Amino acid sequence: MMLKACSADGSLKRKKEPEAADDERGKRNEIPELALTPHEIGRRKVNFIFDNAAIKKTLVKKKWKVPCSLDDAEIILRQNKDVNQYRCDILHEALRAILDSPLNRYGLVGAIYVKIENGVLFEVKPQVRIPRTLQRFCGLMMNLLEKSCIRTEGTKEVLLRVIQEPVTRYLPTNSHIIGLSHTSPKVVNIEDYLSAVDDDINLTFVVGTSVLGEINQQYVDDCLTVTNYPLSAKGSIGMICHVLEHKWNIF
């Protein structure tokens, strides 16, 4: 089943696909049974916070929309605005990197939070299937900003919702908040760093999703970088997921 554009009430509609396509996708998405026990799965969770996401709405032809500099650069420039402030594609790619990862498919992603530059904070449930195309993703973000909540059409299950600051109130106890910033003087081997962390610690990673990759370091316990060179949000997420998948013996 695939998600369609959001309905007027903030629900996500679904489009029925041919049964053959469903069967083929089901076989492709099959994953072996995880060796972890239910207790271990409940204990081993990782959370993500995306900071400074470039999700902004603007008036286009008398209609509000969330533009992206990749598709709407001409419109943004005509309004004398910086196209780098409308790079919602960075968040889109980072979310897909998490949601499509084996780490998430095994239920080891606890929560995902997104902080927009204008101060809005919203939660993305790990089970959501966000639109694959950037245009539809921008439409979803516009719907979320207007409705404050996105639900499934049938069960009314909450998939995305705007929540109140501070984000730390939603993190589990015994959390260790790790900020990733290429400006940090602390360069680490991420595999060695995470292998030294006890499994009883609740890991939370803060990743910048603006062009500069900046994060708010006020609430992080440790700020580090995994390379001497700038790394995209998608690249950072991919590296973290890969290391944790091996640390928790998914493969």
Side-chain angles (χ1 to χ4, degrees), residues 3-4 57 78 84 94 97 128 153 166 201 212 217:
L3 298 180
K4 291 184 66 179
K57 62 180 182 180
R78 281 205 304 263
N84 287 330
V128 69
E153 186 179 39
I201 300 295
L212 299 178
Q217 300 184 22

Side-chain angles (χ1 to χ4, degrees), residues 4-47:
K4 291 184 66 179
C6 297
S7 62
D9 63 355
S11 300
L12 288 174
K13 295 182 177 179
R14 296 181 180 269
K15 178 181 178 182
K16 181 65 177 176
E17 293 183 329
E19 292 184 2
D22 285 341
D23 293 341
E24 183 178 351
R25 180 175 291 104
K27 293 179 181 179
R28 186 169 62 249
N29 290 336
E30 284 182 356
I31 54 179
E33 184 178 353
L34 187 60
L36 299 177
T37 65
H39 173 70
E40 289 175 319
I41 294 176
R43 182 164 58 92
R44 299 182 185 183
K45 296 278 188 179
V46 58
N47 305 297

Side-chain angles (χ1 to χ4, degrees), residues 3-203:
L3 298 180
K4 291 184 66 179
C6 297
S7 62
D9 63 355
S11 300
L12 288 174
K13 295 182 177 179
R14 296 181 180 269
K15 178 181 178 182
K16 181 65 177 176
E17 293 183 329
E19 292 184 2
D22 285 341
D23 293 341
E24 183 178 351
R25 180 175 291 104
K27 293 179 181 179
R28 186 169 62 249
N29 290 336
E30 284 182 356
I31 54 179
E33 184 178 353
L34 187 60
L36 299 177
T37 65
H39 173 70
E40 289 175 319
I41 294 176
R43 182 164 58 92
R44 299 182 185 183
K45 296 278 188 179
V46 58
N47 305 297
F48 293 92
I49 301 172
F50 290 128
D51 209 0
N52 293 318
I55 304 295
K56 296 182 178 181
K57 62 180 182 180
T58 190
L59 201 59
V60 179
K61 296 181 180 180
K62 299 181 179 181
K63 184 178 180 181
W64 288 101
K65 67 173 293 187
V66 172
C68 177
S69 63
L70 299 182
D71 299 323
D72 304 301
E74 185 177 346
I75 295 173
I76 296 171
L77 290 172
R78 281 205 304 263
Q79 297 180 3
N80 296 318
K81 297 178 179 178
D82 184 0
V83 293
N84 287 330
Q85 300 298 316
Y86 294 85
R87 289 290 306 274
C88 57
D89 57 294
I90 299 176
L91 174 64
H92 184 228
E93 290 182 348
L95 282 173
R96 287 184 57 181
I98 291 179
L99 298 174
D100 293 345
S101 68
L103 195 71
N104 187 50
R105 292 168 64 190
Y106 277 114
L108 298 175
V109 175
I112 304 168
Y113 303 100
V114 179
K115 300 180 71 173
I116 303 177
E117 291 179 349
N118 65 1
V120 175
L121 171 68
F122 65 89
E123 179 185 10
V124 180
K125 297 294 185 180
Q127 67 269 25
V128 69
R129 291 179 60 192
I130 63 172
R132 312 305 290 179
T133 66
L134 182 58
Q135 184 179 11
R136 292 183 61 206
F137 176 73
C138 289
L140 179 65
M141 292 295 99
M142 185 66 219
N143 213 337
L144 177 64
L145 293 178
E146 290 181 334
K147 307 294 183 181
S148 298
C149 184
I150 301 294
R151 302 173 182 268
T152 57
E153 186 179 39
T155 63
K156 301 299 181 182
E157 178 185 4
V158 174
L159 299 178
L160 301 95
R161 59 169 183 155
V162 174
I163 56 179
Q164 298 295 318
E165 288 268 30
V167 66
T168 51
R169 70 162 67 172
Y170 306 102
L171 300 179
T173 57
N174 200 28
S175 289
H176 183 62
I177 306 175
I178 304 168
L180 297 180
S181 174
H182 69 270
T183 61
S184 172
K186 183 177 181 179
V187 183
V188 303
N189 180 306
I190 191 63
E191 186 172 359
D192 293 340
Y193 181 90
L194 292 180
S195 64
V197 177
D198 192 89
D199 286 334
D200 290 327
I201 300 295
N202 291 299
L203 291 170

